[in-house]
Amino acid sequence: MNLDDLILVSVDDHVIEPPNLFEGRLSAKYQDKAPRLIERADGAMAWVYEGIEIPNVALNAVAGRPREELGFEPASLAQLRPGCYDVHSRVRDMDANGVLGSMSFPSFVRFCGQLFMNTPDREQAAAMVRAYNDWHIDDWAGSYPGRFIPLALPMLWDAEATAAEVRRVAAKGCHALTFSSNPFALGLPSIHTDYWDPVWKACVETGTVVCMHLGSSSQSPTTSPDAPIEVLYSLSPINLFEAAADVLWSPMFRKFPELRVALSEGGTGWVPYFLERVDYIYNHTRPWTKTDLGGRLPSEIFNEHVISCFIDDAVGIETRAHLNIDNVMWECDYPHSDTTWPHSPELVDKRLAGVPDADINKITHLNAIRHFQYDPFAHIPRELATVGALRRRAEGWDISPKPAAQRAAESAGTWRSLLSRG
Amino acid sequence: MNLDDLILVSVDDHVIEPPNLFEGRLSAKYQDKAPRLIERADGAMAWVYEGIEIPNVALNAVAGRPREELGFEPASLAQLRPGCYDVHSRVRDMDANGVLGSMSFPSFVRFCGQLFMNTPDREQAAAMVRAYNDWHIDDWAGSYPGRFIPLALPMLWDAEATAAEVRRVAAKGCHALTFSSNPFALGLPSIHTDYWDPVWKACVETGTVVCMHLGSSSQSPTTSPDAPIEVLYSLSPINLFEAAADVLWSPMFRKFPELRVALSEGGTGWVPYFLERVDYIYNHTRPWTKTDLGGRLPSEIFNEHVISCFIDDAVGIETRAHLNIDNVMWECDYPHSDTTWPHSPELVDKRLAGVPDADINKITHLNAIRHFQYDPFAHIPRELATVGALRRRAEGWDISPKPAAQRAAESAGTWRSLLSRG
């Protein structure tokens, strides 16, 4: 396949939330309670909610910055590439990278809305989640029909409320739920209990995929406090290795045979080893554990129910015969540190060299279209959806790296206006 | 290669310690302090040391038991296959499985001697470690020259004392040290400090390999207390995925360029993914972390210094082009639950089908011989060291599974005498 003919849909990107997110989306009772984006004395910005300050971390929005500058210091929106927070700029950044569609995970509310878990007034917390989801679906994704796969936050403290929210957003066309890769680690019932059954039931009934993003357990695996940062990065996929084991051996797929879980930003290269390992365990332990998987091997259950997602993973492609190619999806991870933006098509083209076109199309877009009931071609003709066509449209759009200070100076006074264009 | 022509050396087996281990190996001052094996009222046996009772767990010694019987209940030595604790029976079990050589990790003292860490009298603890190492090297391994790769315990609480012990046992021909995969998790300084430098220095000077066995961090990764046991088994390799990241990014290999670490029972199938991941991280983070690996990629450092060990790992063999084949070794894991005994040659033959003979020989024995300065052919002619020759010698040796109760009844009164045959 020619690079220009690829059609790319990324099932893992991130939105840095804009300041007007909650505006006009809450009842009078709760409008004043909504999170606010403040400018701090040191020039950085932070969200404030219930007295807690959540700084934007520069590493969360590195697209377009020279790599030498990255770090954990808090940042101002003015220092960031507008595509991080402004949907109009985002779509142009997607065009420039040849990306047709994107699913955008949240930032300051954390991967599955952990921020709202400790709100004493549960009704208030639920109102915040609904407002966030409405903004995400109607404003972020809704501004550009066909360009985004909407994604909803759960109400983590209440399975029934989450089930109701899954149904409410499904009616608005949203078929992805961001959920914790380990609710027990958040102080909630584990997925080995019956507690989450209403959520799984709602997901099955509405054809919604449960997306467990790396980090959504709120745990960062590391070895010791003095280990260098690279140890933490090296171990981050362990989060989802754990989630894979957890969902596989939980009763959820036996109780809900149509349920699907996506391991967002989990990678694929470890999956063949994992599948061999779980079958080995099953064969060695089943005589005494008496575990009943209904006549199937653990690897078969995984390959039917679990969707693997990767950014750039040569080993995963090399060993793909062990995977269910219908359940493998590509990710761009814009604007995080691991992103391949703005060179994603070149990397995808290189990695998928030798893969049959039919499988390339599944991995790059057809699987995402099917799993998330996402229909970009209802809005954008296929011939205008390719890498080549999108990049032609973006000609002249500046994608060169720019130091944060320079960007801040250039955008002073103008970045706010971007947000009121819509 | 013909199955009968394979030469198998296993770098991971386990000894269930016999009751006479400490007899005559301690000064009068400490002889009464030595761990004792007691028979409990419930018929199980347990070691007692410093007032703490450590039961034998049946799952630790399952070779020769029907799989239906396994579990965590404490066991009596009388219920176990004598090869678990009696070296003469062990060698016949090795013969029957076509295994020439074996490295045996400890059991009740824990993988790297954690049992002795909390002894208030440090001199006493050091005496126990030396006595254990002397028994292991002189009695267990020494009874059958050429059949065992000796392995020494460290004195975990004291790097200088461990360095001295490494030198002492090296003079007796022992070139393997069992060490924690994460000393920080044991309450000790991490491997990112300088604390362990004397140990690494002694290992380099004596040509000793640092073996980090799965579980030697004393941590069992799981997701929630109500997760089924299979989750824990599925996640056990994470212990060594963490260790791999830890040693790779620690300064130990930069400071000691000849140091080698073996990831015992770590598997190989995840390593290619891990290597791709760490190089990706390095390329993405190096501009701002300024980490200096001396001009080499993380994957190159891993492949030079880290030895991967596997029991049965089809994916690891399939993707071996990513590994340094000089640093891959085979394991039998006798008598643990994952062991392939007594059918190891059949499995090795099947898994290594298609691998060039030269690489088969490296994986099955040549690498172990080189890394551990182990010279079986000084004692056993090569033509008598093959699977075929060893199995011929074991003809008539009973390897059929036997329920624990039956074995206990049959061995009543006799199993103790095995240990005094000497």
Side-chain angles (χ1 to χ4, degrees):
Chain A
M1 180 172 298
N2 192 299
L3 184 151
D4 277 344
D5 295 333
L6 288 167
I7 294 179
L8 296 179
V9 173
S10 163
V11 295
D12 175 36
D13 295 302
H14 303 269
V15 56
I16 308 295
E17 292 88 353
N20 59 354
L21 192 157
F22 292 95
E23 269 174 31
R25 299 200 177 274
L26 288 157
S27 66
K29 184 175 175 193
Y30 292 125
Q31 192 69 56
D32 288 349
K33 300 282 192 180
R36 290 172 300 120
L37 187 66
I38 61 160
E39 302 199 53
R40 306 195 315 189
D42 65 1
M45 290 180 182
W47 284 90
V48 177
Y49 178 65
E50 295 281 300
I52 299 165
E53 195 175 301
I54 309 114
N56 271 316
V57 171
L59 266 183
N60 278 340
V62 308
R65 285 185 72 177
R67 289 204 172 271
E68 288 70 17
E69 285 198 345
L70 308 188
F72 287 98
E73 79 283 7
S76 156
L77 289 193
Q79 297 172 309
L80 308 184
R81 211 175 151 78
C84 295
Y85 54 86
D86 168 53
V87 72
H88 311 292
S89 307
R90 171 67 64 101
V91 167
R92 301 208 72 186
D93 279 353
M94 288 162 59
D95 289 346
N97 195 29
V99 172
L100 171 64
S102 164
M103 190 157 85
S104 310
F105 282 83
S107 296
F108 89 94
V109 299
R110 309 196 68 174
F111 285 123
C112 52
Q114 293 100 306
L115 177 66
F116 300 118
M117 282 181 63
N118 298 318
T119 306
D121 178 348
R122 296 304 206 197
E123 267 314 304
Q124 174 187 323
M128 296 302 159
V129 168
R130 279 191 294 266
Y132 191 106
N133 288 342
D134 285 342
W135 166 79
H136 179 98
I137 298 165
D138 301 338
D139 191 333
W140 182 260
S143 293
Y144 287 85
R147 298 304 296 270
F148 292 95
I149 300 171
L151 173 71
L153 294 176
M155 293 152 183
L156 283 171
W157 56 91
D158 187 336
E160 292 290 355
T162 298
E165 184 66 359
V166 165
R167 293 192 169 88
R168 187 182 79 85
V169 298
K172 292 161 66 111
C174 175
H175 298 280
L177 177 72
T178 175
F179 193 78
S180 177
S181 65
N182 186 353
F184 178 81
L186 303 180
L188 301 167
S190 84
I191 59 166
H192 303 286
T193 66
D194 293 338
Y195 180 77
W196 301 102
D197 285 3
V199 178
W200 311 150
K201 186 164 184 285
C203 287
V204 165
E205 286 177 10
T206 56
T208 296
V209 177
V210 179
C211 300
M212 297 180 175
H213 194 287
L214 185 142
S216 58
S217 64
S218 295
Q219 294 181 316
S220 292
T222 191
T223 52
S224 61
D226 55 348
I229 183 70
E230 288 93 343
V231 172
L232 194 141
Y233 281 125
S234 302
L235 297 181
S236 59
I238 283 185
N239 265 187
L240 293 184
F241 194 98
E242 288 181 351
D246 222 25
V247 298
L248 187 59
W249 298 109
S250 98
M252 59 199 288
F253 298 134
R254 278 167 269 164
K255 285 195 270 185
F256 299 95
E258 290 164 84
L259 189 62
R260 291 157 300 154
V261 168
L263 300 179
S264 304
E265 210 174 327
T268 49
W270 55 270
V271 175
Y273 168 76
F274 176 79
L275 296 180
E276 182 179 359
R277 171 91 191 143
V278 292
D279 285 353
Y280 192 84
I281 290 164
Y282 189 56
N283 288 330
H284 278 236
T285 61
R286 192 184 173 190
W288 60 273
T289 61
K290 316 294 183 202
T291 299
D292 178 9
L293 296 183
R296 296 192 303 168
L297 284 173
S299 60
E300 292 174 303
I301 293 173
F302 183 98
N303 270 333
E304 179 179 333
H305 294 278
V306 181
I307 304 164
S308 303
C309 310
F310 72 97
I311 300 169
D312 182 34
D313 200 334
V315 173
I317 295 299
E318 178 185 330
T319 57
R320 69 188 185 279
H322 300 276
L323 307 176
N324 174 1
I325 208 75
D326 291 330
N327 283 352
V328 178
M329 305 196 294
W330 174 77
E331 304 172 317
C332 179
D333 201 28
Y334 178 104
H336 279 191
S337 162
D338 268 5
T339 188
T340 55
W341 187 89
H343 309 296
S344 304
E346 286 71 20
L347 262 167
V348 169
D349 187 56
K350 184 171 151 190
R351 289 288 176 245
L352 298 183
V355 177
D357 283 2
D359 288 349
I360 292 178
N361 285 331
K362 285 180 178 184
I363 293 170
T364 54
H365 65 289
L366 291 180
N367 291 340
I369 284 172
R370 187 181 77 259
H371 278 302
F372 295 112
Q373 302 181 39
Y374 160 63
D375 188 5
F377 305 127
H379 307 277
I380 299 145
R382 186 180 289 264
E383 64 273 16
L384 296 181
T386 62
V387 166
L390 293 168
R391 279 185 160 174
R392 271 192 296 281
R393 223 168 70 172
E395 265 165 35
W397 183 246
D398 185 6
I399 56 168
S400 56
K402 200 173 279 182
Q406 183 190 343
R407 193 180 304 279
E410 290 175 9
S411 70
T414 66
W415 70 269
R416 281 186 185 282
S417 65
L418 287 174
L419 299 171
S420 49
R421 280 192 310 191
Chain B
M1 181 172 299
N2 192 297
L3 183 151
D4 277 343
D5 296 333
L6 287 167
I7 293 179
L8 296 179
V9 172
S10 162
V11 296
D12 175 36
D13 296 302
H14 303 269
V15 56
I16 308 297
E17 293 87 353
N20 59 355
L21 193 157
F22 293 95
E23 270 174 29
R25 299 199 177 275
L26 288 157
S27 67
K29 183 175 175 193
Y30 292 125
Q31 192 68 58
D32 287 350
K33 301 283 192 180
R36 291 171 300 119
L37 187 66
I38 61 160
E39 302 200 52
R40 306 195 316 190
D42 66 0
M45 290 180 181
W47 284 90
V48 177
Y49 178 66
E50 295 281 300
I52 299 163
E53 194 176 301
I54 309 113
N56 270 315
V57 171
L59 266 183
N60 277 340
V62 309
R65 286 185 71 178
R67 290 205 172 271
E68 289 69 16
E69 285 197 348
L70 309 187
F72 286 97
E73 79 284 7
S76 157
L77 290 191
Q79 297 172 311
L80 307 184
R81 209 175 155 78
C84 295
Y85 53 87
D86 169 53
V87 72
H88 312 295
S89 307
R90 171 67 66 99
V91 168
R92 301 207 72 185
D93 279 354
M94 287 161 61
D95 289 345
N97 195 29
V99 172
L100 170 65
S102 164
M103 190 158 83
S104 311
F105 281 83
S107 295
F108 88 94
V109 299
R110 310 195 68 174
F111 286 122
C112 51
Q114 295 99 308
L115 176 66
F116 299 119
M117 281 180 63
N118 298 319
T119 306
D121 178 348
R122 295 303 205 197
E123 267 313 303
Q124 173 187 324
M128 296 302 158
V129 168
R130 279 190 294 266
Y132 191 105
N133 287 342
D134 285 341
W135 165 79
H136 179 98
I137 297 166
D138 301 338
D139 191 332
W140 181 260
S143 294
Y144 288 85
R147 299 305 296 272
F148 292 95
I149 299 170
L151 173 70
L153 295 175
M155 292 154 184
L156 283 171
W157 57 90
D158 187 336
E160 293 289 355
T162 297
E165 184 66 359
V166 166
R167 292 193 171 89
R168 187 183 78 87
V169 299
K172 291 161 67 114
C174 175
H175 298 281
L177 176 73
T178 175
F179 193 79
S180 176
S181 66
N182 186 352
F184 178 81
L186 304 180
L188 301 168
S190 84
I191 60 166
H192 303 286
T193 65
D194 292 338
Y195 180 77
W196 301 104
D197 285 2
V199 178
W200 310 150
K201 187 164 182 284
C203 287
V204 165
E205 286 177 9
T206 57
T208 296
V209 177
V210 179
C211 300
M212 297 181 176
H213 194 286
L214 185 142
S216 57
S217 66
S218 294
Q219 294 181 317
S220 293
T222 189
T223 52
S224 61
D226 56 348
I229 182 70
E230 288 93 344
V231 172
L232 195 140
Y233 281 125
S234 303
L235 298 181
S236 60
I238 283 183
N239 263 189
L240 292 185
F241 193 97
E242 289 181 350
D246 223 24
V247 298
L248 187 59
W249 298 108
S250 97
M252 60 199 287
F253 298 134
R254 276 166 271 163
K255 284 196 269 184
F256 300 96
E258 289 164 84
L259 189 62
R260 292 157 299 155
V261 168
L263 301 178
S264 304
E265 208 174 328
T268 49
W270 55 271
V271 175
Y273 168 75
F274 176 80
L275 296 181
E276 182 179 358
R277 172 89 190 142
V278 291
D279 284 352
Y280 191 85
I281 289 163
Y282 189 55
N283 289 331
H284 278 237
T285 62
R286 191 185 174 189
W288 59 273
T289 61
K290 317 293 184 202
T291 298
D292 178 8
L293 296 183
R296 296 192 303 167
L297 285 172
S299 60
E300 293 174 302
I301 293 173
F302 183 97
N303 271 333
E304 177 179 334
H305 293 278
V306 182
I307 304 165
S308 303
C309 310
F310 72 96
I311 300 170
D312 183 35
D313 200 333
V315 173
I317 296 299
E318 179 185 330
T319 56
R320 68 187 184 281
H322 300 277
L323 307 176
N324 173 2
I325 208 75
D326 292 329
N327 284 352
V328 178
M329 305 195 293
W330 174 78
E331 304 172 317
C332 179
D333 201 27
Y334 178 104
H336 279 190
S337 162
D338 268 5
T339 188
T340 55
W341 186 91
H343 309 295
S344 304
E346 286 71 20
L347 262 167
V348 170
D349 187 57
K350 184 171 150 192
R351 288 288 175 248
L352 298 184
V355 177
D357 283 1
D359 288 348
I360 292 179
N361 286 331
K362 285 180 177 182
I363 293 170
T364 55
H365 65 288
L366 291 181
N367 291 340
I369 284 172
R370 187 182 76 258
H371 278 303
F372 295 113
Q373 302 182 39
Y374 160 63
D375 187 7
F377 305 128
H379 306 279
I380 299 145
R382 186 180 289 265
E383 64 273 17
L384 296 181
T386 62
V387 166
L390 293 168
R391 278 184 161 173
R392 271 193 297 281
R393 223 167 70 169
E395 265 167 34
W397 184 246
D398 185 6
I399 56 168
S400 57
K402 199 173 278 183
Q406 185 190 341
R407 191 179 304 279
E410 289 176 8
S411 70
T414 67
W415 70 269
R416 281 187 185 280
S417 65
L418 287 175
L419 299 171
S420 48
R421 279 192 309 191

